[in-house]
Amino acid sequence: MIGSSALHVASLEEIDRLWPSLRVARAFPSHEELRRFHEEAPWRLMVGKSGRAVLLDRWRRQSPILAIRGLWCAEHEVKDVVRQCRDVAATHGFDTLLSPLVTESVSRPYASAGMTPLVRLVVLRARPRDLADKQTPSLPGTRIRFACHADIPDLIRLDDACFDEFWRYGPSEMAEYMAVQRLVVAQSAEGIVGYTLATIDGGTGTLGRLAVEPPYRRRGVGSALLADAFGWMARTGVSAVSLCTQETNAASRALYANAGLKEQHERLVFLTRDTGRAKRAHAQEAP
């Protein structure tokens, strides 16, 4: 550990004191969920002096990436805290440390800690009335319906076809999202050809996922799924709609622009750093 920024595994008393900040950040749905998270692997919540805290978790269920899910500290302390998180990641068998999703304007402390940009995301927003005139396209032979648990294998297959490994969900993650978000699929005679994940929080509707089977793109499936999700958000009275997509995904950006969303100027970014675990293991094995 490093100087005054040193962190230690949080005790039960410390996570109870941290709960108000985690609740505001919507890191856990309840205090009970926070307690369960801590009981499963206490090292994932670390704290230090003057309210410093870091929340860690595996990025995906089978991923060798440890993600910083939340970080509470002064900007000048980020460098030291990231270095400590890198050591924790290596100790627990992770190859890569992932930063929180941050705006580029505040990513400099992470870069100073040796992290490099992995992906840049475009943020798009709209008011419900800007999307009100978007009608659901007619899709002969395809219907939009709510997903059910039996759909999970098909949804995983669809994810594998649509996203690279970094973004893909596993079965347990898909089941968790289905339980807490609105998951809707496009069903054709051939099976599930697309889906959306959407949620509403604090008066803002967020589209967390849009996936369409590659052979079914440019056939109205994506537009129909978007219209369904945005229509649901408008009916619930949200004040704004938002989503993110990769800056390099020109097709998605065009689809969202056509739907009435406007790109925001500032980009979001994930940064990563190798933990050095493989090198350490090799050094320990050397004669």
Side-chain angles (χ1 to χ4, degrees), residues 110-245:
Y110 295 94
S112 70
M115 306 191 85
T116 57
L118 175 69
V119 61
R120 298 174 81 228
L121 301 177
V122 177
V123 179
L124 299 99
R125 294 195 178 96
R127 295 168 296 181
R129 66 170 178 264
D130 296 330
L131 309 171
D133 61 345
K134 305 297 179 182
Q135 301 299 315
T136 303
S138 175
L139 293 174
T142 302
R143 66 187 180 99
I144 307 297
R145 64 168 177 82
F146 287 108
C148 63
H149 196 270
D151 295 323
I152 289 178
D154 287 332
L155 291 168
I156 297 303
R157 173 192 54 76
L158 182 58
D159 249 34
D160 288 347
C162 294
F163 303 106
D164 61 33
E165 186 176 3
F166 178 77
W167 297 108
R168 292 172 189 160
Y169 293 144
S172 59
E173 290 161 324
M174 193 69 75
E176 289 172 9
Y177 285 124
M178 186 181 295
V180 299
Q181 298 190 28
R182 184 179 187 267
L183 203 165
V184 168
V185 302
Q187 172 89 48
S188 76
E190 288 75 28
I192 293 174
V193 297
Y195 81 93
T196 54
L197 268 172
T199 188
I200 294 173
D201 190 9
T204 297
T206 301
L207 186 75
R209 194 76 141 188
L210 170 64
V212 177
E213 189 88 41
Y216 285 82
R217 293 172 185 172
R218 302 184 183 278
R219 293 166 62 175
V221 175
S223 296
L225 286 166
L226 279 183
D228 170 81
F230 294 156
W232 167 69
M233 293 176 190
R235 291 191 298 274
T236 57
V238 300
S239 58
V241 173
S242 69
L243 58 87
C244 296
T245 192

Side-chain angles (χ1 to χ4, degrees), residues 26-98:
R26 297 184 175 88
F28 296 93
S30 68
H31 191 208
E32 291 71 24
E33 283 296 320
L34 168 61
R35 281 290 191 109
R36 279 195 287 271
F37 180 86
H38 182 261
E39 289 171 2
E40 289 173 3
W43 61 268
R44 294 180 297 179
L45 263 170
M46 298 191 297
V47 298
K49 296 180 179 179
S50 304
R52 300 182 190 93
V54 61
L55 171 63
L56 303 167
D57 200 7
R58 188 183 294 272
W59 170 241
R60 295 286 188 256
R61 287 293 182 265
Q62 303 303 318
S63 172
I65 300 173
L66 182 66
I68 301 175
R69 297 288 189 179
L71 180 57
W72 294 266
C73 69
E75 182 176 321
H76 71 271
E77 296 170 332
V78 170
K79 184 175 181 179
D80 283 346
V81 171
V82 166
R83 287 175 175 169
Q84 293 176 67
C85 292
R86 177 176 178 256
D87 290 340
V88 170
T91 298
H92 289 276
F94 292 91
D95 297 327
T96 305
L97 179 68
L98 180 71

